[in-house]
Amino acid sequence: MNFALILFLLTIGTGAVWALDRFVLSKSRGDGEPAPAWIEYPVSFFPVLLAVFLLRSFVAEPFKIPSSSMRPTLEVGDFILVNKFAYGLRLPIVERKIVPIGDPRRGDVVVFRYPVNPSQDFIKRVVGLPGDVVTYKDKALAINGKPLPRRADGTYSWLEGLRFETAERFVEQADAGGEAHDYTTAASPTAPAVYPQNVRSFPGREQCDYNPEGFTCKVPTGHYFVMGDNRDFSDDSRYWGFVPDDHVRGRAFFIWFNWDDISGFAFRRVGSGIR
């Protein structure tokens, strides 16, 4: 279901009724005569729908985290806000950039339209920019031949379905345009760096070389290489390829709700920023 399109159509429909009543129908009614219900309700809802549509399209949009691919950074059930103007203003629905403001940086957590199915939204971390050579060997990332600094940070455990999973936790550091950007990742020492049988055919596949230790990919112009922080539980660019710039919807920056966090009176996540 394309919620953005439905919201757009509702806003246009109620706006048309508001304009018709404002400039035509209201003049034919007597003083104090109430508007019929088919006019009153759309006119009442139009300002609310318009405000929601503008905020959602150009300022911030809410999303819910559905999977474990971004643990430990984001957990299942987190409700997050995505900055819609961080990388430029885009036309609603068609997502065409009309005012460029900036570009994703290494380490940014971004929401984007899934290249395999653009009607579906994904969230991952940008690890490779256009022109970068991304190498993932023995669970360690290197960009343009330079290994990303990382340090061990204990272990991380979570419930995956009916299984209790435990992985090693690391603090990794990306070069975000000359600034150091630290974030947390998780990896299982027993899992391979990539599952070759899951790698699909995708545009630019010839730019990648897969081997038993991992892979090396050169990111094409106008595209990004993304990975989940939970490296061994993430379906990402390793398997379906690069994210075109026009698929990027915004940068995730804030956790505003998590029911388990609130109901357990933990308040560890709600109100925190996303690194």
Side-chain angles (χ1 to χ4, degrees):
M1 181 176 63
N2 192 327
F3 180 77
L5 179 59
I6 294 173
L7 180 60
F8 174 72
L9 293 176
L10 286 174
T11 304
I12 292 296
T14 56
V17 176
W18 175 88
L20 180 66
D21 182 64
R22 175 69 173 80
F23 298 108
V24 179
L25 299 180
S26 62
K27 297 178 181 179
S28 64
R29 292 197 298 269
D31 292 340
E33 181 182 350
W38 70 271
I39 293 178
E40 181 180 359
Y41 284 109
V43 167
S44 299
F45 281 116
F46 171 63
V48 177
L49 291 172
L50 179 63
V52 171
F53 176 75
L54 292 176
L55 287 172
R56 189 179 186 275
S57 299
F58 299 111
V59 181
E61 183 174 358
F63 287 89
K64 181 182 178 182
I65 303 302
S67 74
S68 293
S69 71
M70 284 299 293
R71 291 178 183 270
T73 305
L74 296 170
E75 298 181 357
V76 176
D78 281 347
F79 286 81
I80 66 171
L81 287 179
V82 173
N83 184 331
K84 298 299 293 288
F85 60 85
Y87 308 130
L89 296 179
R90 296 178 184 267
L91 288 174
I93 312 304
V94 297
E95 298 287 343
R96 183 183 300 275
K97 187 181 292 186
I98 54 175
V99 180
I101 295 176
D103 296 307
R105 304 187 305 171
R106 298 186 193 94
D108 284 0
V109 177
V110 298
V111 170
F112 56 92
R113 290 185 288 129
Y114 181 33
V116 177
N117 178 11
S119 65
Q120 185 177 357
D121 291 324
F122 266 31
I123 183 168
K124 305 290 178 187
R125 190 178 298 275
V126 174
V127 299
L129 304 181
D132 280 350
V133 176
V134 179
T135 301
Y136 191 57
K137 181 179 180 180
D138 297 329
K139 300 298 186 72
L141 261 177
I143 306 298
N144 300 323
K146 183 179 179 181
L148 269 61
R150 69 169 186 168
R151 58 178 173 82
D153 189 38
T155 60
Y156 175 75
S157 300
W158 74 97
L159 189 64
E160 186 73 24
L162 298 177
R163 303 189 316 274
F164 192 73
E165 302 284 354
T166 298
E168 295 179 343
R169 186 202 302 260
F170 297 92
V171 176
E172 194 168 82
Q173 185 179 91
D175 178 4
E179 299 178 9
H181 185 152
D182 294 344
Y183 51 87
T184 306
T185 67
S188 171
T190 60
V194 64
Y195 292 92
Q197 68 273 19
N198 294 339
V199 177
R200 312 170 199 179
S201 177
F202 54 83
R205 171 67 176 78
E206 68 280 0
Q207 304 270 30
C208 297
D209 174 46
Y210 292 86
N211 54 70
E213 291 80 28
F215 66 87
T216 296
C217 284
K218 183 172 182 178
V219 187
T221 300
H223 292 72
Y224 299 93
F225 195 96
V226 299
M227 294 179 70
D229 287 348
N230 197 0
R231 297 279 162 81
D232 299 313
F233 289 82
S234 176
D235 183 23
D236 50 38
S237 286
R238 289 173 284 184
Y239 301 108
W240 43 254
F242 311 101
V243 178
D245 179 73
D246 62 4
H247 280 44
V248 178
R249 306 198 62 194
R251 177 175 59 85
F253 71 99
F254 186 72
I255 301 172
W256 64 272
F257 184 78
N258 181 298
W259 174 250
D260 291 337
D261 193 45
I262 291 177
S263 63
F265 297 100
F267 298 103
R268 296 179 298 104
R269 310 187 58 72
V270 173
S272 60
I274 298 172
R275 288 193 56 82

